């Protein structure tokens, strides 16, 4: 059996949901790649923090994910699937744009990461449920596998893009007679603006998906 069923992938709802899950993986792991480097790099390239302090900067991000995992069922039962998806994509977009503008101190980065994590968690909960509800029962296994594959693809692209920006834009710092190169402040700006830009696409897809789902529900009602 094929790993990706192209007929199923081109479904009116499943296609945008898979693109959104790809963007989610891309933006999430682009952040995971970047923040520790920003925290550990010496000033003025980064914050000059130790490993423990770098972990503390990302702690709000992890805690929000930890909270939303067990409560995903409650969220779906109260809000349905599409509302968390639309709301989450908008929160993610706002969080990344805030990170573009406000990432000069560890507390700013931590606060913005908490906002981004909230948005990504809601989006993930909604998209996964939409994907399952839109898939014919006999194809649920392969649909879930495709969804996971697209997430992994996005998770692979994100760190590569972040690494490219950090390698191309470097800052020379001399200490003890030696010169070392670290990612420049411009590289972090480019990484965050890239994540913010793709999050806009995710928000647009969320609204497209909502319209398509409502259209499908309206047709089913008329046929019933």
């Amino acid at each position: 059996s094929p790993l990706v069923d192209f007929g199923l992938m081109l479904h009116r709802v499943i296609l945008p949901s898979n693109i959104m899950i790809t963007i989610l993986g891309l933006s999430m792991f682009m952040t995971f790649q970047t923040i520790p480097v920003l925290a550990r790099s010496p000033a003025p390239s980064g914050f000059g923090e130790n490993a423990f302090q770098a972990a503390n900067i990302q702690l709000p991000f992890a805690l929000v994910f930890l909270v939303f995992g067990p409560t995903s069922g409650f969220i779906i039962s109260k809000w349905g699937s599409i509302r968390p998806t639309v709301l989450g994509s908008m929160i993610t977009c706002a969080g990344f744009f805030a990170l573009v503008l406000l990432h000069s101190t560890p507390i700013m980065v931590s606060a913005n990461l908490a906002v981004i994590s909230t948005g990504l968690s809601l989006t993930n909960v909604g998209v996964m449920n939409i994907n399952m509800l839109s898939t014919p029962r006999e194809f649920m296994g392969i649909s879930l596998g495709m969804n996971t594959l697209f997430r992994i693809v996005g998770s692979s692209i994100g760190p590569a893009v972040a690494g490219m920006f950090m390698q191309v834009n470097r800052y020379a710092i001399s200490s003890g007679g030696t010169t070392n190169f670290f990612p420049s402040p411009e590289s972090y700006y480019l990484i965050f603006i890239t994540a913010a830009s793709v999050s806009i696409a995710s928000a647009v897809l969320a609204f497209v998906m909502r319209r398509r789902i409502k259209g499908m529900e309206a047709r089913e009602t008329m046929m019933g």
Side-chain angles (χ1 to χ4, degrees):
S1 299
L3 183 61
V4 175
D5 186 321
F6 286 97
L8 184 63
M9 186 182 71
L10 296 177
H11 186 277
R12 286 172 52 84
V13 175
I14 294 175
L15 178 59
S17 74
N18 282 332
I19 295 175
M20 286 185 68
I21 211 71
T22 304
I23 293 173
L24 186 148
L26 186 153
S27 56
M28 182 188 301
F29 282 86
M30 185 184 292
T31 305
F32 285 165
Q33 167 81 8
T34 303
I35 300 304
V37 179
L38 172 63
R40 296 298 308 276
S41 297
S45 174
F47 301 144
E49 306 282 12
N50 58 36
F52 180 77
Q53 291 167 326
N56 282 338
I57 292 175
Q58 291 187 292
L59 185 60
F61 190 99
L63 288 177
V64 171
F65 257 102
L66 182 64
V67 170
F68 274 95
T71 58
S72 59
F74 175 79
I75 293 171
I76 293 299
S77 66
K78 292 295 183 181
W79 287 5
S81 300
I82 191 62
R83 288 177 63 187
T85 304
V86 173
L87 180 61
S89 63
M90 294 174 66
I91 293 174
T92 302
C93 190
F96 273 119
F97 275 103
L99 191 61
V100 171
L101 299 174
L102 304 170
H103 60 266
S104 58
T105 65
I107 189 65
M108 287 181 179
V109 173
S110 291
N112 288 324
L113 286 179
V115 175
I116 291 169
S117 184
T118 301
L120 291 176
S121 299
L122 289 171
T123 303
N124 182 63
V125 167
V127 167
M128 290 290 291
N129 204 56
I130 288 171
N131 191 285
M132 289 295 96
L133 291 176
S134 302
T135 302
R137 186 181 300 273
E138 63 271 23
F139 296 115
M140 280 190 174
I142 192 169
S143 181
L144 181 60
M146 287 166 52
N147 195 265
T148 303
L149 173 64
F150 280 108
R151 184 197 301 274
I152 294 172
V153 170
S155 302
S156 302
I157 295 173
V161 173
M164 177 194 67
F165 282 130
M166 287 190 283
Q167 181 65 27
V168 171
N169 301 278
R170 295 189 297 171
Y171 190 92
I173 297 179
S174 298
S175 177
T178 61
T179 300
N180 296 304
F181 291 90
F182 297 90
S184 67
E186 289 77 15
S187 66
Y188 301 117
Y189 175 82
L190 291 171
I191 291 168
F192 297 147
I193 197 67
T194 300
S197 299
V198 297
S199 69
I200 294 176
S202 182
V204 171
L205 285 169
F207 283 102
V208 169
M209 200 158 49
R210 183 179 69 170
R211 185 180 63 185
R212 290 181 177 180
I213 290 173
K214 287 186 176 181
M216 292 170 62
E217 290 175 347
R219 285 194 294 271
E220 290 175 0
T221 301
M222 293 176 63
M223 292 176 62

